[in-house]
Amino acid sequence: MKSKRVFIVADHGLAIVYFLQTEVVPTLLDAGVEVIFLTDDGLLDKIKQRFDRPGLFIEGLRLPQTRQYFQTTHNSGQWWLDFFRRAGPSKRMNLETVDNYVKWVKTEAPPKRKAIFPFVQAALWVLRNSRTARQSLINQQHRYTPQIYTDLFQKYQPNLVVASTAGWRLDRYILRESRTHNVRNAAIVLGWDNPSSHALPGARIDNISCWSEAQKQELILGADWQPEQINIGGIPSYDGYFHKRWLMPRDEYYRLHNLDPQRKLLGYACSFVTYSPNIQNVEALAGMVARNELSQPCQLLVRLHPNHFTTVKRWSSEREQMRKLVEQYPHVHLVEPVPIGGELGYYSGEDMPEKSSMMAHSDVFLTVYSTMVVEASIHQSPVVSVVIDSPTGWPGEYSLPLSKIGQWPTHSRFRQTQAGRVATNPRQLKENIELYLQNPQIDRVAQQRFVQQECTFTDGSAG
């Protein structure tokens, strides 16, 4: 009898963690399912060396070809379809995230595009109020199906194609192509905020697996998924956190970063850099630590965001600001994420021991409503979301004051569960840190409820 075969599409570094560094792919292989894993062509040898086993085949995802197709074949038409897909979910969903996306696009639009925005807003009103219009948009996307993977479909004849997004990235092309070969397809939700920030699917998709009931409702209310299409599967990438698989001993982690074992550790993870600088948050923290303003001696460990390592000038400039700040202030240290290689950048499975250990060993963990508020809560570390407004924003670019983002869907759930504290100014920041230094377990019960709500499976069994 012929084995079942599944294409798994991983066009993101964290997708490699989700599928290969959990029990997802091993469970399929143990059940006799053959897995054809498609990922960045530059990583094929590395993936084969690390994960090779019978029944697992590694193929290139051909990202340069997909990107070239997008750029050279009716680029404007494809761009607008993708814009309306992301900006046009149903008004039944909390639209704070997508509304800010629309403002960002409008602010940075060239003059001709900006001139037609009244018509764009009218089209968005129709999409947000009409399921028929949304379904028509999804169908229209299939006009752009370049048949880049025909030879792989013919070679392997898969029974199912599973992508790491619902066609929200370049994986949309293989999801669309699967329909032309009469192969069922499915998607997983990789990121905490994906259903609320990416909206409609980029292809017609049969099924999707998400983290939680909260995400399921976003998929139903915002993007018209039917309940029977949705599986609540938890988040396999976090199984290693629940099992403490990646956790380094405290003394080993302290030695790695030259930390002082006699000082409390404040861990800060940069986040939300697309919309706002983080330097003002870090300067406030570094000043408190350097001037010994807290009741207990502390040290600060700052983790840069993967976007800090792109070619976007404002983000790379902040990276250099952070490096200089660390040199100037005592007891302030820096963590730079580890790149996976190829085109997948700095969202890397190589980084899981670093991330896990930073969160676990921080006496107080701080960030800007990052997904790491969930991850740090799994590690039972007190969490403060630092949302001090930048005095400058991103000059010449669209910026959003951090104090204005509390109602975004994921941010709102963190606040409503009271799993952590929020600081909008240096005074609140100091008060919250002092509170947690004196009573680190004060919000522990709320944290546990938050983790259960967002992850569903908290025993490490999601994979």
Side-chain angles (χ1 to χ4, degrees), residues 133-162:
R134 294 190 293 273
Q135 290 301 310
S136 176
L137 174 69
I138 293 170
N139 291 334
Q140 285 295 314
Q141 294 176 115
H142 282 259
R143 295 165 53 196
Y144 301 104
T145 305
Q147 306 295 334
I148 291 172
Y149 305 99
T150 299
D151 60 318
L152 293 180
F153 278 96
Q154 292 174 344
K155 177 181 178 181
Y156 290 106
Q157 299 182 1
N159 302 93
L160 177 69
V161 174
V162 180

Tab-separated table of all heavy atoms in Angstrom, residues 133-162:
chain	number	residue	atom	x	y	z
A	133	ALA	N	-18.177	39.698	-0.702
A	133	ALA	CA	-17.037	40.448	-1.231
A	133	ALA	C	-15.721	39.836	-0.761
A	133	ALA	O	-14.751	39.733	-1.534
A	133	ALA	CB	-17.127	41.912	-0.802
A	134	ARG	N	-15.676	39.401	0.485
A	134	ARG	CA	-14.442	38.792	0.999
A	134	ARG	C	-14.144	37.482	0.285
A	134	ARG	O	-12.994	37.197	-0.074
A	134	ARG	CB	-14.550	38.588	2.517
A	134	ARG	CG	-14.617	39.889	3.304
A	134	ARG	CD	-14.476	39.654	4.798
A	134	ARG	NE	-15.594	38.923	5.386
A	134	ARG	CZ	-16.709	39.477	5.840
A	134	ARG	NH1	-16.887	40.788	5.756
A	134	ARG	NH2	-17.673	38.736	6.395
A	135	GLN	N	-15.175	36.665	0.054
A	135	GLN	CA	-14.962	35.413	-0.654
A	135	GLN	C	-14.538	35.656	-2.095
A	135	GLN	O	-13.698	34.930	-2.648
A	135	GLN	CB	-16.243	34.568	-0.612
A	135	GLN	CG	-16.575	34.016	0.770
A	135	GLN	CD	-15.455	33.138	1.323
A	135	GLN	OE1	-14.969	32.236	0.644
A	135	GLN	NE2	-15.040	33.420	2.544
A	136	SER	N	-15.091	36.682	-2.707
A	136	SER	CA	-14.698	37.026	-4.072
A	136	SER	C	-13.226	37.428	-4.124
A	136	SER	O	-12.495	37.046	-5.043
A	136	SER	CB	-15.578	38.162	-4.596
A	136	SER	OG	-15.160	38.566	-5.886
A	137	LEU	N	-12.777	38.190	-3.128
A	137	LEU	CA	-11.366	38.594	-3.080
A	137	LEU	C	-10.458	37.374	-2.973
A	137	LEU	O	-9.449	37.275	-3.688
A	137	LEU	CB	-11.147	39.527	-1.890
A	137	LEU	CG	-9.686	39.915	-1.624
A	137	LEU	CD1	-9.160	40.817	-2.734
A	137	LEU	CD2	-9.526	40.594	-0.269
A	138	ILE	N	-10.816	36.431	-2.101
A	138	ILE	CA	-9.998	35.226	-1.955
A	138	ILE	C	-9.924	34.467	-3.279
A	138	ILE	O	-8.856	34.010	-3.700
A	138	ILE	CB	-10.566	34.334	-0.833
A	138	ILE	CG1	-10.415	35.039	0.520
A	138	ILE	CG2	-9.862	32.980	-0.802
A	138	ILE	CD1	-11.155	34.360	1.648
A	139	ASN	N	-11.045	34.353	-3.956
A	139	ASN	CA	-11.064	33.649	-5.243
A	139	ASN	C	-10.244	34.380	-6.299
A	139	ASN	O	-9.575	33.744	-7.125
A	139	ASN	CB	-12.509	33.477	-5.720
A	139	ASN	CG	-13.304	32.507	-4.857
A	139	ASN	OD1	-12.730	31.622	-4.223
A	139	ASN	ND2	-14.617	32.680	-4.811
A	140	GLN	N	-10.305	35.722	-6.297
A	140	GLN	CA	-9.555	36.501	-7.283
A	140	GLN	C	-8.049	36.266	-7.179
A	140	GLN	O	-7.326	36.344	-8.176
A	140	GLN	CB	-9.857	37.991	-7.105
A	140	GLN	CG	-11.220	38.440	-7.610
A	140	GLN	CD	-11.335	38.295	-9.123
A	140	GLN	OE1	-10.443	38.683	-9.872
A	140	GLN	NE2	-12.439	37.697	-9.573
A	141	GLN	N	-7.577	35.955	-5.987
A	141	GLN	CA	-6.140	35.742	-5.806
A	141	GLN	C	-5.633	34.562	-6.635
A	141	GLN	O	-4.452	34.523	-7.010
A	141	GLN	CB	-5.836	35.510	-4.322
A	141	GLN	CG	-6.106	36.714	-3.440
A	141	GLN	CD	-5.889	36.410	-1.970
A	141	GLN	OE1	-5.000	36.971	-1.332
A	141	GLN	NE2	-6.701	35.529	-1.405
A	142	HIS	N	-6.505	33.611	-6.916
A	142	HIS	CA	-6.085	32.423	-7.655
A	142	HIS	C	-5.795	32.715	-9.126
A	142	HIS	O	-5.292	31.839	-9.832
A	142	HIS	CB	-7.136	31.318	-7.505
A	142	HIS	CG	-7.049	30.618	-6.186
A	142	HIS	ND1	-6.454	29.392	-6.028
A	142	HIS	CD2	-7.462	30.994	-4.945
A	142	HIS	CE1	-6.509	29.033	-4.752
A	142	HIS	NE2	-7.119	29.996	-4.074
A	143	ARG	N	-6.081	33.931	-9.568
A	143	ARG	CA	-5.655	34.321	-10.920
A	143	ARG	C	-4.130	34.296	-11.023
A	143	ARG	O	-3.577	34.174	-12.111
A	143	ARG	CB	-6.153	35.736	-11.245
A	143	ARG	CG	-7.671	35.873	-11.325
A	143	ARG	CD	-8.088	37.328	-11.292
A	143	ARG	NE	-7.410	38.128	-12.308
A	143	ARG	CZ	-7.359	39.464	-12.303
A	143	ARG	NH1	-7.917	40.145	-11.305
A	143	ARG	NH2	-6.747	40.104	-13.274
A	144	TYR	N	-3.491	34.431	-9.886
A	144	TYR	CA	-2.023	34.483	-9.853
A	144	TYR	C	-1.491	33.200	-9.219
A	144	TYR	O	-1.192	33.134	-8.024
A	144	TYR	CB	-1.573	35.727	-9.094
A	144	TYR	CG	-2.089	36.999	-9.722
A	144	TYR	CD1	-3.151	37.702	-9.151
A	144	TYR	CD2	-1.557	37.469	-10.920
A	144	TYR	CE1	-3.640	38.857	-9.739
A	144	TYR	CE2	-2.047	38.620	-11.526
A	144	TYR	CZ	-3.094	39.301	-10.927
A	144	TYR	OH	-3.584	40.440	-11.525
A	145	THR	N	-1.430	32.169	-10.035
A	145	THR	CA	-0.932	30.857	-9.616
A	145	THR	C	0.137	30.437	-10.625
A	145	THR	O	-0.183	29.932	-11.708
A	145	THR	CB	-2.063	29.817	-9.575
A	145	THR	OG1	-3.119	30.304	-8.739
A	145	THR	CG2	-1.561	28.487	-9.036
A	146	PRO	N	1.413	30.640	-10.321
A	146	PRO	CA	2.458	30.511	-11.340
A	146	PRO	C	2.909	29.090	-11.666
A	146	PRO	O	3.768	28.900	-12.528
A	146	PRO	CB	3.615	31.315	-10.736
A	146	PRO	CG	3.394	31.235	-9.251
A	146	PRO	CD	1.905	31.230	-9.064
A	147	GLN	N	2.398	28.070	-10.996
A	147	GLN	CA	2.802	26.680	-11.273
A	147	GLN	C	4.313	26.479	-11.138
A	147	GLN	O	4.963	25.836	-11.960
A	147	GLN	CB	2.334	26.272	-12.685
A	147	GLN	CG	0.853	26.471	-12.953
A	147	GLN	CD	-0.045	25.589	-12.096
A	147	GLN	OE1	0.365	24.527	-11.647
A	147	GLN	NE2	-1.274	26.041	-11.865
A	148	ILE	N	4.853	26.994	-10.079
A	148	ILE	CA	6.292	26.877	-9.814
A	148	ILE	C	6.660	25.475	-9.326
A	148	ILE	O	7.800	25.020	-9.485
A	148	ILE	CB	6.717	27.949	-8.789
A	148	ILE	CG1	6.640	29.350	-9.431
A	148	ILE	CG2	8.114	27.697	-8.229
A	148	ILE	CD1	6.844	30.490	-8.455
A	149	TYR	N	5.694	24.750	-8.766
A	149	TYR	CA	5.994	23.484	-8.090
A	149	TYR	C	5.421	22.264	-8.806
A	149	TYR	O	5.352	21.183	-8.226
A	149	TYR	CB	5.442	23.542	-6.656
A	149	TYR	CG	5.937	24.731	-5.877
A	149	TYR	CD1	5.145	25.876	-5.745
A	149	TYR	CD2	7.200	24.736	-5.291
A	149	TYR	CE1	5.594	26.978	-5.035
A	149	TYR	CE2	7.661	25.835	-4.579
A	149	TYR	CZ	6.849	26.956	-4.460
A	149	TYR	OH	7.308	28.053	-3.763
A	150	THR	N	5.054	22.416	-10.077
A	150	THR	CA	4.400	21.320	-10.800
A	150	THR	C	5.227	20.043	-10.782
A	150	THR	O	4.704	18.942	-10.567
A	150	THR	CB	4.116	21.739	-12.249
A	150	THR	OG1	3.245	22.876	-12.225
A	150	THR	CG2	3.446	20.615	-13.021
A	151	ASP	N	6.544	20.176	-10.968
A	151	ASP	CA	7.393	18.984	-10.999
A	151	ASP	C	7.405	18.257	-9.662
A	151	ASP	O	7.441	17.020	-9.599
A	151	ASP	CB	8.819	19.349	-11.413
A	151	ASP	CG	9.475	20.344	-10.472
A	151	ASP	OD1	8.788	21.311	-10.062
A	151	ASP	OD2	10.660	20.158	-10.133
A	152	LEU	N	7.331	19.017	-8.543
A	152	LEU	CA	7.315	18.386	-7.222
A	152	LEU	C	5.985	17.687	-6.964
A	152	LEU	O	5.947	16.603	-6.365
A	152	LEU	CB	7.584	19.430	-6.135
A	152	LEU	CG	8.991	20.049	-6.129
A	152	LEU	CD1	9.118	21.071	-5.011
A	152	LEU	CD2	10.068	18.974	-5.987
A	153	PHE	N	4.885	18.284	-7.411
A	153	PHE	CA	3.592	17.614	-7.274
A	153	PHE	C	3.577	16.315	-8.083
A	153	PHE	O	3.058	15.292	-7.635
A	153	PHE	CB	2.467	18.538	-7.719
A	153	PHE	CG	2.017	19.519	-6.671
A	153	PHE	CD1	2.522	20.813	-6.651
A	153	PHE	CD2	1.120	19.140	-5.691
A	153	PHE	CE1	2.115	21.715	-5.684
A	153	PHE	CE2	0.704	20.044	-4.717
A	153	PHE	CZ	1.212	21.337	-4.712
A	154	GLN	N	4.177	16.354	-9.269
A	154	GLN	CA	4.209	15.151	-10.105
A	154	GLN	C	5.146	14.094	-9.526
A	154	GLN	O	4.856	12.892	-9.562
A	154	GLN	CB	4.652	15.523	-11.518
A	154	GLN	CG	3.631	16.374	-12.267
A	154	GLN	CD	4.132	16.856	-13.610
A	154	GLN	OE1	5.346	16.814	-13.903
A	154	GLN	NE2	3.220	17.319	-14.461
A	155	LYS	N	6.247	14.529	-8.966
A	155	LYS	CA	7.238	13.597	-8.419
A	155	LYS	C	6.726	12.885	-7.168
A	155	LYS	O	6.864	11.656	-7.033
A	155	LYS	CB	8.528	14.358	-8.093
A	155	LYS	CG	9.622	13.506	-7.448
A	155	LYS	CD	10.862	14.359	-7.149
A	155	LYS	CE	11.947	13.536	-6.472
A	155	LYS	NZ	13.149	14.378	-6.156
A	156	TYR	N	6.117	13.636	-6.258
A	156	TYR	CA	5.757	13.063	-4.956
A	156	TYR	C	4.279	12.699	-4.834
A	156	TYR	O	3.915	11.890	-3.978
A	156	TYR	CB	6.124	14.047	-3.838
A	156	TYR	CG	7.614	14.201	-3.635
A	156	TYR	CD1	8.279	15.349	-4.058
A	156	TYR	CD2	8.359	13.199	-3.021
A	156	TYR	CE1	9.646	15.510	-3.844
A	156	TYR	CE2	9.719	13.343	-2.816
A	156	TYR	CZ	10.360	14.499	-3.236
A	156	TYR	OH	11.713	14.650	-3.044
A	157	GLN	N	3.429	13.333	-5.635
A	157	GLN	CA	1.983	13.099	-5.578
A	157	GLN	C	1.470	13.132	-4.126
A	157	GLN	O	0.972	12.128	-3.594
A	157	GLN	CB	1.635	11.768	-6.241
A	157	GLN	CG	2.014	11.716	-7.712
A	157	GLN	CD	1.630	10.411	-8.382
A	157	GLN	OE1	1.051	9.514	-7.776
A	157	GLN	NE2	1.945	10.310	-9.664
A	158	PRO	N	1.589	14.287	-3.466
A	158	PRO	CA	1.200	14.387	-2.057
A	158	PRO	C	-0.305	14.260	-1.869
A	158	PRO	O	-1.098	14.555	-2.767
A	158	PRO	CB	1.676	15.791	-1.658
A	158	PRO	CG	1.587	16.570	-2.940
A	158	PRO	CD	2.017	15.595	-4.012
A	159	ASN	N	-0.691	13.842	-0.660
A	159	ASN	CA	-2.100	13.792	-0.291
A	159	ASN	C	-2.552	15.082	0.391
A	159	ASN	O	-3.752	15.338	0.492
A	159	ASN	CB	-2.338	12.627	0.671
A	159	ASN	CG	-1.925	11.295	0.077
A	159	ASN	OD1	-0.795	10.858	0.286
A	159	ASN	ND2	-2.807	10.667	-0.684
A	160	LEU	N	-1.588	15.871	0.865
A	160	LEU	CA	-1.906	17.079	1.614
A	160	LEU	C	-0.735	18.047	1.542
A	160	LEU	O	0.427	17.628	1.552
A	160	LEU	CB	-2.191	16.717	3.080
A	160	LEU	CG	-2.470	17.853	4.064
A	160	LEU	CD1	-3.817	18.510	3.759
A	160	LEU	CD2	-2.459	17.335	5.511
A	161	VAL	N	-1.053	19.347	1.467
A	161	VAL	CA	-0.042	20.405	1.566
A	161	VAL	C	-0.342	21.219	2.817
A	161	VAL	O	-1.470	21.698	2.997
A	161	VAL	CB	-0.069	21.330	0.330
A	161	VAL	CG1	0.888	22.511	0.532
A	161	VAL	CG2	0.300	20.560	-0.924
A	162	VAL	N	0.641	21.350	3.699
A	162	VAL	CA	0.482	22.121	4.932
A	162	VAL	C	1.476	23.280	4.906
A	162	VAL	O	2.682	23.062	4.742
A	162	VAL	CB	0.743	21.263	6.184
A	162	VAL	CG1	0.563	22.096	7.452
A	162	VAL	CG2	-0.181	20.056	6.213
